[in-house]
Amino acid sequence: MSDTVPTCDHASQSALSKGIWRRIALSAVLAAFATTMAVGYFVPVYTDEVTWKLLQSRYLIDGLVNITLLPQCGGSFLTDVPYFMIPDRLLDAALFQDLSAPMKLRIFGTGSFLAWCAVMLAVLPRCMALHMPRLLLAALVFGYLGLGVLPYIVSLSRPEMTLLWCFSLLILIPLCVGRQQSLLRQGALTAGLVVIAAVAITQHPKSFLFFPLIVTSLFLTIRSSALRLVGGSALLYFVTSGYSYWMARNTCPSDAAFEQASRLQLVPLSDLFTNPLHTLAVYAHNAIKTSAYFWNIRHQNIYGGERWLPANDVPGGVLLAVNIAIFVILAMLLIFLLVTVVVACVTLMRGMQGQRGDLRRPLITMACLLSIAALGTVQGFKHFYESGMIIPLIGLIMIVNVDKAGPVSPRSWRFFAVSLLTVSFVSQCVLWWSLAPTAAKAASPGYLAAQEKSVSFLGYDTVRPDIVTAASACGIRPETPTKHLVIDDFTYPVFQNSVQPFHIFFISQVGGASIWKSQSADKVIRLLKDYQSDGVIAGCHTLPAAMRHRAVQTGPFCCMSAFR
Protein backbone atom coordinates (compact mmCIF):
# COMPACT_ATOMS: atom_id res chain seq x y z
CA MET A 1 0.00 0.00 0.00
CA SER A 2 1.64 3.22 -1.16
CA ASP A 3 1.60 6.61 0.61
CA THR A 4 -0.84 9.12 -0.83
CA VAL A 5 0.30 12.72 -1.13
CA PRO A 6 -2.53 15.29 -1.27
CA THR A 7 -2.24 17.68 -4.20
CA CYS A 8 -3.98 20.82 -5.37
CA ASP A 9 -4.28 22.10 -8.87
CA HIS A 10 -2.34 25.08 -10.20
CA ALA A 11 -5.44 27.29 -10.42
CA SER A 12 -6.17 26.85 -6.71
CA GLN A 13 -2.59 27.72 -5.78
CA SER A 14 -2.69 30.76 -8.01
CA ALA A 15 -5.98 31.94 -6.50
CA LEU A 16 -4.62 31.44 -2.98
CA SER A 17 -1.45 33.35 -3.83
CA LYS A 18 -3.44 36.22 -5.35
CA GLY A 19 -5.64 36.37 -2.26
CA ILE A 20 -2.62 36.62 0.03
CA TRP A 21 -0.96 39.32 -2.04
CA ARG A 22 -4.24 41.21 -2.27
CA ARG A 23 -4.58 41.24 1.51
CA ILE A 24 -0.96 42.37 1.87
CA ALA A 25 -1.52 45.22 -0.60
CA LEU A 26 -4.72 46.34 1.11
CA SER A 27 -3.05 46.16 4.53
CA ALA A 28 -0.16 48.26 3.19
CA VAL A 29 -2.62 51.02 2.26
CA LEU A 30 -4.11 50.93 5.75
CA ALA A 31 -0.64 51.01 7.33
CA ALA A 32 0.32 53.96 5.12
CA PHE A 33 -2.74 55.89 6.24
CA ALA A 34 -2.03 55.13 9.91
CA THR A 35 1.51 56.46 9.41
CA THR A 36 0.17 59.58 7.71
CA MET A 37 -2.12 60.33 10.65
CA ALA A 38 0.72 59.74 13.12
CA VAL A 39 2.94 62.22 11.25
CA GLY A 40 0.01 64.64 11.25
CA TYR A 41 0.26 65.01 15.01
CA PHE A 42 3.31 67.21 14.40
CA VAL A 43 1.55 69.49 11.91
CA PRO A 44 1.35 73.00 13.43
CA VAL A 45 -2.05 74.24 14.60
CA TYR A 46 -3.67 76.58 12.08
CA THR A 47 -5.03 79.90 13.34
CA ASP A 48 -8.65 79.09 12.49
CA GLU A 49 -8.55 76.13 14.85
CA VAL A 50 -7.96 78.55 17.73
CA THR A 51 -10.15 81.43 16.60
CA TRP A 52 -13.23 79.24 16.06
CA LYS A 53 -12.97 78.25 19.72
CA LEU A 54 -13.00 81.95 20.62
CA LEU A 55 -16.17 82.27 18.59
CA GLN A 56 -18.12 79.26 19.79
CA SER A 57 -16.83 77.82 23.06
CA ARG A 58 -16.81 80.91 25.32
CA TYR A 59 -20.57 81.13 25.89
CA LEU A 60 -20.29 80.82 29.68
CA ILE A 61 -17.20 83.02 30.14
CA ASP A 62 -18.40 85.91 27.96
CA GLY A 63 -21.78 86.42 29.63
CA LEU A 64 -24.08 84.01 27.75
CA VAL A 65 -23.36 85.64 24.40
CA ASN A 66 -21.15 84.84 21.44
CA ILE A 67 -18.40 87.24 20.42
CA THR A 68 -16.96 87.80 16.96
CA LEU A 69 -13.39 88.57 15.99
CA LEU A 70 -14.22 92.12 14.93
CA PRO A 71 -14.96 94.48 17.82
CA GLN A 72 -14.51 97.34 15.35
CA CYS A 73 -17.87 96.34 13.88
CA GLY A 74 -19.66 97.64 16.96
CA GLY A 75 -23.00 96.05 17.78
CA SER A 76 -22.30 92.76 16.01
CA PHE A 77 -19.35 92.02 18.32
CA LEU A 78 -21.78 90.55 20.87
CA THR A 79 -24.63 88.32 19.64
CA ASP A 80 -27.39 86.65 21.61
CA VAL A 81 -27.57 82.89 21.04
CA PRO A 82 -30.90 81.40 19.82
CA TYR A 83 -32.44 78.90 22.22
CA PHE A 84 -31.94 75.91 19.96
CA MET A 85 -28.18 76.64 19.74
CA ILE A 86 -27.58 76.81 23.49
CA PRO A 87 -27.08 73.03 24.05
CA ASP A 88 -24.46 72.95 21.32
CA ARG A 89 -22.71 76.02 22.74
CA LEU A 90 -22.66 74.39 26.17
CA LEU A 91 -21.11 71.28 24.64
CA ASP A 92 -18.51 73.46 22.89
CA ALA A 93 -17.77 75.08 26.24
CA ALA A 94 -17.37 71.71 27.94
CA LEU A 95 -14.92 70.58 25.26
CA PHE A 96 -12.91 73.71 24.45
CA GLN A 97 -13.52 76.45 27.00
CA ASP A 98 -10.43 75.12 28.75
CA LEU A 99 -7.58 75.25 26.23
CA SER A 100 -4.81 75.19 28.82
CA ALA A 101 -3.62 72.04 27.02
CA PRO A 102 -3.93 73.39 23.46
CA MET A 103 -2.74 70.20 21.76
CA LYS A 104 -6.26 68.94 22.41
CA LEU A 105 -7.14 70.83 19.20
CA ARG A 106 -4.96 68.49 17.15
CA ILE A 107 -6.01 65.41 19.13
CA PHE A 108 -9.71 66.24 18.89
CA GLY A 109 -9.52 67.04 15.17
CA THR A 110 -7.70 63.83 14.33
CA GLY A 111 -9.85 61.81 16.71
CA SER A 112 -13.09 63.16 15.23
CA PHE A 113 -11.89 62.32 11.74
CA LEU A 114 -10.87 58.77 12.65
CA ALA A 115 -14.13 58.26 14.56
CA TRP A 116 -16.03 59.38 11.44
CA CYS A 117 -14.06 56.85 9.40
CA ALA A 118 -14.88 54.09 11.90
CA VAL A 119 -18.61 54.90 11.87
CA MET A 120 -18.68 55.02 8.07
CA LEU A 121 -16.96 51.63 7.82
CA ALA A 122 -19.42 50.16 10.33
CA VAL A 123 -22.54 51.58 8.68
CA LEU A 124 -21.70 51.54 4.97
CA PRO A 125 -22.11 47.76 4.44
CA ARG A 126 -25.78 48.16 5.40
CA CYS A 127 -26.29 51.05 2.98
CA MET A 128 -24.37 49.96 -0.10
CA ALA A 129 -25.96 48.38 -3.14
CA LEU A 130 -22.96 46.06 -3.49
CA HIS A 131 -21.48 43.60 -0.98
CA MET A 132 -17.81 44.34 -0.44
CA PRO A 133 -15.26 42.65 1.86
CA ARG A 134 -14.56 44.89 4.85
CA LEU A 135 -10.80 44.95 4.27
CA LEU A 136 -11.31 46.14 0.69
CA LEU A 137 -13.88 48.70 1.81
CA ALA A 138 -11.51 50.05 4.49
CA ALA A 139 -8.63 50.25 2.01
CA LEU A 140 -10.76 52.13 -0.52
CA VAL A 141 -12.06 54.58 2.09
CA PHE A 142 -8.63 55.29 3.57
CA GLY A 143 -7.02 55.29 0.14
CA TYR A 144 -9.46 57.93 -1.08
CA LEU A 145 -9.03 60.03 2.05
CA GLY A 146 -5.24 59.72 1.70
CA LEU A 147 -5.05 61.58 -1.61
CA GLY A 148 -2.86 64.68 -1.58
CA VAL A 149 -2.99 66.66 1.65
CA LEU A 150 -6.64 65.75 2.27
CA PRO A 151 -5.96 63.75 5.49
CA TYR A 152 -4.59 66.87 7.18
CA ILE A 153 -7.36 69.13 5.89
CA VAL A 154 -10.04 66.84 7.32
CA SER A 155 -8.20 66.72 10.66
CA LEU A 156 -8.49 70.46 11.29
CA SER A 157 -10.55 71.43 14.35
CA ARG A 158 -12.92 73.58 12.33
CA PRO A 159 -16.72 73.43 11.85
CA GLU A 160 -16.31 71.48 8.60
CA MET A 161 -15.55 68.34 10.59
CA THR A 162 -18.86 68.59 12.46
CA LEU A 163 -20.68 69.41 9.22
CA LEU A 164 -19.15 66.33 7.62
CA TRP A 165 -20.56 64.22 10.46
CA CYS A 166 -24.01 65.81 10.10
CA PHE A 167 -24.30 65.57 6.32
CA SER A 168 -22.89 62.03 6.23
CA LEU A 169 -25.55 60.89 8.71
CA LEU A 170 -28.24 62.64 6.68
CA ILE A 171 -27.09 60.64 3.64
CA LEU A 172 -26.85 57.27 5.36
CA ILE A 173 -29.87 57.25 7.69
CA PRO A 174 -32.51 57.08 4.90
CA LEU A 175 -30.51 54.37 3.11
CA CYS A 176 -29.90 52.25 6.20
CA VAL A 177 -33.13 52.43 8.16
CA GLY A 178 -35.61 53.00 5.36
CA ARG A 179 -39.11 54.07 6.34
CA GLN A 180 -39.93 52.68 9.78
CA GLN A 181 -43.46 51.40 10.38
CA SER A 182 -43.46 51.92 14.14
CA LEU A 183 -44.63 55.39 15.16
CA LEU A 184 -42.28 55.30 18.14
CA ARG A 185 -39.29 54.60 15.91
CA GLN A 186 -40.39 57.29 13.49
CA GLY A 187 -40.61 59.72 16.38
CA ALA A 188 -37.10 58.84 17.54
CA LEU A 189 -35.76 59.23 14.00
CA THR A 190 -37.55 62.58 13.59
CA ALA A 191 -35.94 63.82 16.80
CA GLY A 192 -32.55 62.55 15.67
CA LEU A 193 -32.75 64.19 12.26
CA VAL A 194 -33.92 67.46 13.78
CA VAL A 195 -31.00 67.43 16.23
CA ILE A 196 -28.54 66.77 13.39
CA ALA A 197 -29.96 69.72 11.44
CA ALA A 198 -29.79 71.95 14.53
CA VAL A 199 -26.14 71.06 15.12
CA ALA A 200 -25.26 71.78 11.48
CA ILE A 201 -26.96 75.20 11.51
CA THR A 202 -25.34 76.01 14.85
CA GLN A 203 -21.86 75.29 13.50
CA HIS A 204 -21.70 77.37 10.32
CA PRO A 205 -23.94 79.41 7.99
CA LYS A 206 -22.92 77.33 4.97
CA SER A 207 -25.22 74.64 6.39
CA PHE A 208 -28.21 76.61 5.02
CA LEU A 209 -27.14 75.64 1.51
CA PHE A 210 -27.51 71.97 2.47
CA PHE A 211 -31.21 72.42 3.21
CA PRO A 212 -32.15 70.24 0.20
CA LEU A 213 -30.24 67.34 1.78
CA ILE A 214 -31.75 67.98 5.22
CA VAL A 215 -35.34 68.07 3.95
CA THR A 216 -34.89 65.09 1.62
CA SER A 217 -33.42 62.99 4.42
CA LEU A 218 -36.36 63.81 6.69
CA PHE A 219 -39.04 63.03 4.12
CA LEU A 220 -37.40 59.81 2.94
CA THR A 221 -37.05 58.49 6.47
CA ILE A 222 -40.36 59.51 8.04
CA ARG A 223 -43.73 58.17 6.80
CA SER A 224 -46.03 59.90 9.28
CA SER A 225 -47.47 63.15 7.92
CA ALA A 226 -47.83 64.53 11.44
CA LEU A 227 -44.19 63.85 12.28
CA ARG A 228 -43.12 65.32 8.95
CA LEU A 229 -45.04 68.46 9.85
CA VAL A 230 -43.43 68.60 13.28
CA GLY A 231 -39.95 68.01 11.86
CA GLY A 232 -40.49 70.49 9.04
CA SER A 233 -41.74 73.15 11.47
CA ALA A 234 -38.65 72.66 13.65
CA LEU A 235 -36.41 73.00 10.59
CA LEU A 236 -38.22 76.19 9.56
CA TYR A 237 -37.61 77.66 13.02
CA PHE A 238 -33.93 76.65 12.92
CA VAL A 239 -33.44 78.24 9.51
CA THR A 240 -35.16 81.55 10.29
CA SER A 241 -33.66 81.93 13.76
CA GLY A 242 -30.24 80.66 12.67
CA TYR A 243 -30.17 82.93 9.63
CA SER A 244 -30.87 85.98 11.78
CA TYR A 245 -28.13 84.93 14.19
CA TRP A 246 -25.46 84.39 11.53
CA MET A 247 -26.34 87.54 9.60
CA ALA A 248 -26.14 89.56 12.82
CA ARG A 249 -22.64 88.19 13.42
CA ASN A 250 -21.46 88.96 9.90
CA THR A 251 -22.59 92.55 9.47
CA CYS A 252 -20.04 95.33 9.75
CA PRO A 253 -21.39 98.64 8.44
CA SER A 254 -18.32 100.49 9.74
CA ASP A 255 -15.93 98.34 7.66
CA ALA A 256 -16.75 98.42 3.96
CA ALA A 257 -13.83 96.11 3.11
CA PHE A 258 -15.11 93.46 5.48
CA GLU A 259 -18.63 93.78 4.06
CA GLN A 260 -17.15 93.20 0.61
CA ALA A 261 -15.21 90.18 1.86
CA SER A 262 -18.36 88.75 3.46
CA ARG A 263 -20.07 88.83 0.09
CA LEU A 264 -17.14 86.95 -1.39
CA GLN A 265 -17.70 84.25 1.23
CA LEU A 266 -21.42 83.72 0.58
CA VAL A 267 -23.15 85.93 -2.01
CA PRO A 268 -26.68 86.33 -0.56
CA LEU A 269 -29.69 85.25 -2.62
CA SER A 270 -31.26 88.64 -1.87
CA ASP A 271 -28.82 90.15 -4.38
CA LEU A 272 -30.86 88.49 -7.13
CA PHE A 273 -33.64 91.00 -6.44
CA THR A 274 -31.43 94.10 -6.23
CA ASN A 275 -28.99 93.35 -9.07
CA PRO A 276 -30.08 90.15 -10.85
CA LEU A 277 -27.82 90.21 -13.93
CA HIS A 278 -24.65 90.94 -11.97
CA THR A 279 -25.54 88.35 -9.32
CA LEU A 280 -26.19 85.65 -11.93
CA ALA A 281 -22.84 86.43 -13.54
CA VAL A 282 -21.14 86.17 -10.14
CA TYR A 283 -22.88 82.86 -9.45
CA ALA A 284 -21.77 81.50 -12.83
CA HIS A 285 -18.19 82.54 -12.12
CA ASN A 286 -18.35 80.95 -8.66
CA ALA A 287 -19.72 77.70 -10.09
CA ILE A 288 -16.82 77.47 -12.52
CA LYS A 289 -14.42 77.87 -9.61
CA THR A 290 -15.94 74.86 -7.82
CA SER A 291 -12.96 72.89 -9.13
CA ALA A 292 -10.96 74.65 -6.38
CA TYR A 293 -12.35 72.12 -3.89
CA PHE A 294 -10.29 69.50 -5.74
CA TRP A 295 -7.38 71.78 -6.61
CA ASN A 296 -6.77 72.59 -2.93
CA ILE A 297 -5.74 69.04 -1.99
CA ARG A 298 -2.69 68.99 -4.30
CA HIS A 299 0.89 68.72 -3.03
CA GLN A 300 2.83 71.99 -3.04
CA ASN A 301 6.23 73.30 -2.02
CA ILE A 302 4.61 76.37 -0.47
CA TYR A 303 0.95 76.13 0.51
CA GLY A 304 -0.33 79.44 -0.79
CA GLY A 305 -0.74 82.61 1.23
CA GLU A 306 -2.16 80.69 4.16
CA ARG A 307 0.93 78.44 4.44
CA TRP A 308 -1.04 76.14 6.70
CA LEU A 309 1.45 73.32 6.05
CA PRO A 310 5.25 73.72 6.30
CA ALA A 311 7.16 74.52 3.13
CA ASN A 312 9.30 71.70 1.71
CA ASP A 313 12.00 71.10 -0.88
CA VAL A 314 10.56 68.03 -2.62
CA PRO A 315 11.54 68.29 -6.31
CA GLY A 316 8.88 70.01 -8.34
CA GLY A 317 8.88 67.23 -10.93
CA VAL A 318 7.92 64.69 -8.27
CA LEU A 319 5.08 66.85 -7.00
CA LEU A 320 3.85 67.47 -10.55
CA ALA A 321 3.82 63.77 -11.41
CA VAL A 322 1.95 62.81 -8.23
CA ASN A 323 -0.53 65.68 -8.60
CA ILE A 324 -1.29 64.67 -12.19
CA ALA A 325 -1.96 61.13 -11.00
CA ILE A 326 -4.26 62.44 -8.24
CA PHE A 327 -6.23 64.58 -10.67
CA VAL A 328 -6.57 61.68 -13.11
CA ILE A 329 -8.12 59.68 -10.27
CA LEU A 330 -10.44 62.58 -9.42
CA ALA A 331 -11.35 62.98 -13.11
CA MET A 332 -12.32 59.30 -13.23
CA LEU A 333 -14.37 59.83 -10.09
CA LEU A 334 -16.18 62.78 -11.64
CA ILE A 335 -16.95 60.75 -14.77
CA PHE A 336 -18.45 58.02 -12.60
CA LEU A 337 -20.31 60.73 -10.71
CA LEU A 338 -21.75 62.12 -13.93
CA VAL A 339 -22.95 58.65 -14.91
CA THR A 340 -24.48 58.30 -11.43
CA VAL A 341 -26.35 61.58 -11.84
CA VAL A 342 -27.73 60.51 -15.22
CA VAL A 343 -28.87 57.17 -13.80
CA ALA A 344 -30.42 58.93 -10.79
CA CYS A 345 -32.36 61.27 -13.11
CA VAL A 346 -33.61 58.37 -15.23
CA THR A 347 -34.65 56.44 -12.13
CA LEU A 348 -36.54 59.43 -10.78
CA MET A 349 -38.33 59.96 -14.12
CA ARG A 350 -39.39 56.33 -14.17
CA GLY A 351 -40.64 56.66 -10.61
CA MET A 352 -42.74 59.66 -11.61
CA GLN A 353 -44.25 57.55 -14.40
CA GLY A 354 -45.40 54.97 -11.88
CA GLN A 355 -42.71 52.33 -12.39
CA ARG A 356 -41.72 50.56 -9.20
CA GLY A 357 -38.28 50.98 -7.73
CA ASP A 358 -36.42 52.23 -4.70
CA LEU A 359 -36.06 55.98 -5.13
CA ARG A 360 -34.19 56.61 -1.88
CA ARG A 361 -30.72 56.29 -3.37
CA PRO A 362 -31.24 58.56 -6.40
CA LEU A 363 -33.14 61.12 -4.34
CA ILE A 364 -30.52 61.37 -1.60
CA THR A 365 -27.77 61.46 -4.25
CA MET A 366 -29.40 64.32 -6.12
CA ALA A 367 -30.15 66.22 -2.90
CA CYS A 368 -26.54 66.00 -1.73
CA LEU A 369 -25.09 67.01 -5.09
CA LEU A 370 -27.59 69.87 -5.37
CA SER A 371 -26.47 71.11 -1.95
CA ILE A 372 -22.79 70.93 -2.92
CA ALA A 373 -23.57 72.73 -6.19
CA ALA A 374 -25.43 75.44 -4.24
CA LEU A 375 -22.42 75.97 -2.00
CA GLY A 376 -20.06 76.13 -4.96
CA THR A 377 -22.34 78.63 -6.72
CA VAL A 378 -23.05 80.96 -3.82
CA GLN A 379 -19.58 80.84 -2.28
CA GLY A 380 -17.07 83.09 -3.98
CA PHE A 381 -13.79 82.33 -2.24
CA LYS A 382 -13.11 78.59 -1.86
CA HIS A 383 -10.94 78.03 1.21
CA PHE A 384 -8.68 75.00 1.35
CA TYR A 385 -10.34 73.69 4.52
CA GLU A 386 -13.71 73.31 2.80
CA SER A 387 -12.21 70.51 0.69
CA GLY A 388 -12.17 68.49 3.91
CA MET A 389 -15.96 68.41 3.82
CA ILE A 390 -16.74 68.39 0.09
CA ILE A 391 -14.30 65.68 -1.08
CA PRO A 392 -15.36 63.08 1.57
CA LEU A 393 -19.06 63.76 0.87
CA ILE A 394 -18.56 63.17 -2.86
CA GLY A 395 -16.69 59.94 -2.07
CA LEU A 396 -19.50 58.83 0.23
CA ILE A 397 -22.10 59.46 -2.46
CA MET A 398 -20.05 57.47 -4.94
CA ILE A 399 -19.54 54.44 -2.73
CA VAL A 400 -23.22 54.08 -1.83
CA ASN A 401 -24.02 54.11 -5.57
CA VAL A 402 -21.53 51.40 -6.61
CA ASP A 403 -23.54 48.53 -8.07
CA LYS A 404 -22.63 45.50 -10.19
CA ALA A 405 -25.82 46.00 -12.15
CA GLY A 406 -25.11 49.70 -12.69
CA PRO A 407 -23.99 51.40 -15.90
CA VAL A 408 -20.30 51.33 -14.88
CA SER A 409 -18.87 47.88 -15.53
CA PRO A 410 -17.25 45.85 -12.73
CA ARG A 411 -13.99 45.88 -14.71
CA SER A 412 -14.01 49.70 -14.72
CA TRP A 413 -14.61 49.76 -10.97
CA ARG A 414 -11.74 47.31 -10.41
CA PHE A 415 -9.40 49.41 -12.53
CA PHE A 416 -10.43 52.52 -10.63
CA ALA A 417 -9.92 50.80 -7.27
CA VAL A 418 -6.43 49.55 -8.15
CA SER A 419 -5.45 52.96 -9.54
CA LEU A 420 -6.82 54.76 -6.49
CA LEU A 421 -4.95 52.58 -3.99
CA THR A 422 -1.69 52.82 -5.94
CA VAL A 423 -1.82 56.60 -6.34
CA SER A 424 -2.87 57.08 -2.71
CA PHE A 425 0.05 55.02 -1.42
CA VAL A 426 2.55 56.99 -3.53
CA SER A 427 0.91 60.29 -2.58
CA GLN A 428 1.24 59.52 1.12
CA CYS A 429 4.90 58.59 0.69
CA VAL A 430 5.45 62.03 -0.86
CA LEU A 431 3.57 63.59 2.05
CA TRP A 432 5.92 61.91 4.55
CA TRP A 433 8.89 63.05 2.48
CA SER A 434 7.68 66.66 2.57
CA LEU A 435 6.81 66.77 6.27
CA ALA A 436 9.40 64.54 7.95
CA PRO A 437 12.17 67.22 7.97
CA THR A 438 9.82 69.68 9.71
CA ALA A 439 8.50 67.24 12.31
CA ALA A 440 11.56 67.68 14.53
CA LYS A 441 11.33 71.49 14.32
CA ALA A 442 7.63 71.37 15.20
CA ALA A 443 8.49 69.56 18.44
CA SER A 444 9.57 72.94 19.88
CA PRO A 445 6.69 75.21 20.92
CA GLY A 446 6.46 78.71 19.53
CA TYR A 447 5.73 80.94 16.58
CA LEU A 448 6.75 79.80 13.11
CA ALA A 449 8.51 82.38 10.96
CA ALA A 450 7.60 80.60 7.74
CA GLN A 451 3.97 80.00 8.83
CA GLU A 452 2.60 83.23 10.21
CA LYS A 453 -0.91 81.80 10.59
CA SER A 454 0.16 78.65 12.45
CA VAL A 455 1.82 77.90 15.79
CA SER A 456 3.39 74.84 17.37
CA PHE A 457 1.80 73.88 20.69
CA LEU A 458 3.94 70.79 21.34
CA GLY A 459 5.56 71.18 24.75
CA TYR A 460 3.46 74.28 25.48
CA ASP A 461 3.88 73.95 29.26
CA THR A 462 7.58 74.76 28.90
CA VAL A 463 6.84 78.26 27.54
CA ARG A 464 3.79 79.07 29.67
CA PRO A 465 5.97 80.66 32.41
CA ASP A 466 7.65 82.85 29.77
CA ILE A 467 4.26 84.19 28.64
CA VAL A 468 3.23 84.85 32.25
CA THR A 469 6.50 86.69 32.93
CA ALA A 470 6.16 88.80 29.77
CA ALA A 471 2.58 89.78 30.64
CA SER A 472 3.44 90.64 34.24
CA ALA A 473 5.78 93.38 32.98
CA CYS A 474 2.59 95.30 32.11
CA GLY A 475 0.63 94.28 35.18
CA ILE A 476 -1.31 91.52 33.37
CA ARG A 477 -1.68 88.26 35.29
CA PRO A 478 -3.70 85.11 34.49
CA GLU A 479 -5.30 85.05 37.94
CA THR A 480 -6.46 88.70 37.70
CA PRO A 481 -9.82 89.27 35.94
CA THR A 482 -9.39 91.08 32.64
CA LYS A 483 -11.72 92.25 29.90
CA HIS A 484 -11.04 92.79 26.22
CA LEU A 485 -7.47 91.63 26.62
CA VAL A 486 -5.67 91.48 23.27
CA ILE A 487 -4.15 88.07 22.65
CA ASP A 488 -2.92 85.92 19.76
CA ASP A 489 -3.16 82.20 19.05
CA PHE A 490 -0.13 81.36 21.17
CA THR A 491 -0.88 83.48 24.25
CA TYR A 492 -4.63 82.77 24.37
CA PRO A 493 -4.39 79.46 26.32
CA VAL A 494 -2.69 81.27 29.22
CA PHE A 495 -5.29 84.06 29.33
CA GLN A 496 -8.35 82.10 28.19
CA ASN A 497 -10.39 83.33 31.16
CA SER A 498 -10.26 86.94 30.02
CA VAL A 499 -13.77 88.19 29.28
CA GLN A 500 -14.51 88.94 25.61
CA PRO A 501 -10.90 88.98 24.38
CA PHE A 502 -9.70 90.57 21.13
CA HIS A 503 -7.48 88.74 18.66
CA ILE A 504 -4.57 90.90 17.53
CA PHE A 505 -4.71 89.82 13.89
CA PHE A 506 -8.33 90.77 13.41
CA ILE A 507 -8.15 94.16 15.11
CA SER A 508 -4.92 95.11 13.34
CA GLN A 509 -6.17 94.08 9.89
CA VAL A 510 -9.07 95.26 7.79
CA GLY A 511 -10.98 93.22 5.21
CA GLY A 512 -11.38 89.47 5.00
CA ALA A 513 -11.02 86.37 2.82
CA SER A 514 -8.03 87.08 0.57
CA ILE A 515 -7.97 90.88 0.89
CA TRP A 516 -6.70 91.51 4.44
CA LYS A 517 -4.80 94.81 4.72
CA SER A 518 -2.92 96.27 7.68
CA GLN A 519 -4.84 98.63 9.94
CA SER A 520 -3.10 101.76 11.22
CA ALA A 521 -1.78 101.59 14.79
CA ASP A 522 -3.63 104.79 15.72
CA LYS A 523 -6.96 103.22 14.81
CA VAL A 524 -6.14 100.08 16.79
CA ILE A 525 -5.19 102.09 19.89
CA ARG A 526 -8.32 104.24 19.54
CA LEU A 527 -10.41 101.07 19.37
CA LEU A 528 -8.78 99.66 22.50
CA LYS A 529 -9.37 102.92 24.37
CA ASP A 530 -13.02 102.96 23.32
CA TYR A 531 -13.46 99.47 24.77
CA GLN A 532 -11.15 100.22 27.75
CA SER A 533 -9.11 97.13 26.99
CA ASP A 534 -7.09 95.72 29.87
CA GLY A 535 -3.98 95.48 27.74
CA VAL A 536 -2.08 93.44 25.15
CA ILE A 537 -0.03 90.25 25.42
CA ALA A 538 0.96 88.80 22.06
CA GLY A 539 3.92 87.96 19.87
CA CYS A 540 5.88 91.12 19.03
CA HIS A 541 5.79 90.30 15.32
CA THR A 542 1.96 90.41 15.36
CA LEU A 543 1.77 94.04 16.46
CA PRO A 544 1.72 96.96 14.04
CA ALA A 545 5.16 98.63 14.00
CA ALA A 546 4.00 101.78 15.80
CA MET A 547 2.49 99.70 18.61
CA ARG A 548 5.57 97.50 18.83
CA HIS A 549 7.74 100.52 19.63
CA ARG A 550 5.45 101.42 22.55
CA ALA A 551 5.25 97.88 23.93
CA VAL A 552 7.40 96.17 26.56
CA GLN A 553 9.27 93.25 24.99
CA THR A 554 10.28 90.08 26.82
CA GLY A 555 11.76 87.54 24.44
CA PRO A 556 9.35 87.01 21.53
CA PHE A 557 6.40 88.45 23.49
CA CYS A 558 5.23 92.04 23.80
CA CYS A 559 2.82 93.53 26.30
CA MET A 560 1.02 96.84 26.73
CA SER A 561 -0.76 98.08 29.84
CA ALA A 562 -4.46 98.82 30.10
CA PHE A 563 -5.93 101.46 27.73
CA ARG A 564 -7.85 104.07 29.63
Side-chain angles (χ1 to χ4, degrees), residues 19 81 99 238 369-370 388-389 412 457 475 531 550:
V81 179
L99 271 185
F238 296 162
L369 295 179
L370 177 62
M389 178 184 71
S412 297
F457 281 128
Y531 276 95
R550 299 170 57 177

Side-chain angles (χ1 to χ4, degrees), residues 261-283:
S262 294
R263 291 181 176 273
L264 281 176
Q265 302 282 353
L266 292 173
V267 181
L269 292 173
S270 57
D271 284 9
L272 285 171
F273 300 100
T274 57
N275 195 349
L277 292 179
H278 173 73
T279 304
L280 288 174
V282 171
Y283 282 163

Side-chain angles (χ1 to χ4, degrees), residues 283-296 334 372-380 382 387 390-391 394:
Y283 282 163
H285 181 252
N286 292 346
I288 293 172
K289 294 195 300 181
T290 301
S291 58
Y293 294 133
F294 299 93
W295 181 246
N296 286 335
L334 292 177
I372 293 174
L375 177 63
T377 300
V378 174
Q379 185 179 46
K382 274 72 171 176
S387 301
I390 299 299
I391 303 298
I394 290 176

Side-chain angles (χ1 to χ4, degrees), residues 6 9 31 42 54 113 115 143 165 183 271 316 334 371 379 394 417 448 452 506 542:
D9 58 64
F42 298 95
L54 269 77
F113 172 43
W165 269 98
L183 192 61
D271 284 9
L334 292 177
S371 299
Q379 185 179 46
I394 290 176
L448 303 170
E452 293 184 358
F506 293 92
T542 66

Side-chain angles (χ1 to χ4, degrees), residues 299-380:
H299 294 283
Q300 303 174 66
N301 289 123
I302 298 176
Y303 287 87
E306 302 288 335
R307 301 194 178 190
W308 66 280
L309 278 179
N312 61 80
D313 55 2
V314 177
V318 173
L319 297 182
L320 178 62
V322 175
N323 285 335
I324 289 175
I326 290 172
F327 290 130
V328 168
I329 292 293
L330 294 176
M332 294 169 63
L333 179 72
L334 292 177
I335 291 172
F336 292 160
L337 189 63
L338 178 61
V339 173
T340 299
V341 170
V342 172
V343 171
C345 291
V346 171
T347 303
L348 289 175
M349 292 175 62
R350 289 176 177 174
M352 293 177 183
Q353 294 172 0
Q355 298 185 29
R356 292 185 176 181
D358 188 354
L359 299 181
R360 291 177 301 165
R361 202 174 307 277
L363 280 172
I364 208 71
T365 296
M366 295 302 295
C368 183
L369 295 179
L370 177 62
S371 299
I372 293 174
L375 177 63
T377 300
V378 174
Q379 185 179 46

Side-chain angles (χ1 to χ4, degrees), residues 91-111:
L91 179 59
D92 279 334
L95 292 173
F96 298 112
Q97 178 175 293
D98 179 11
L99 271 185
S100 55
M103 276 306 293
K104 73 159 60 172
L105 292 171
R106 177 62 63 242
I107 295 170
F108 185 84
T110 302

Side-chain angles (χ1 to χ4, degrees), residues 462-479:
T462 62
V463 297
R464 187 187 304 273
D466 298 336
I467 298 174
V468 173
T469 299
S472 65
C474 298
I476 303 170
R477 294 176 177 81
E479 64 274 10

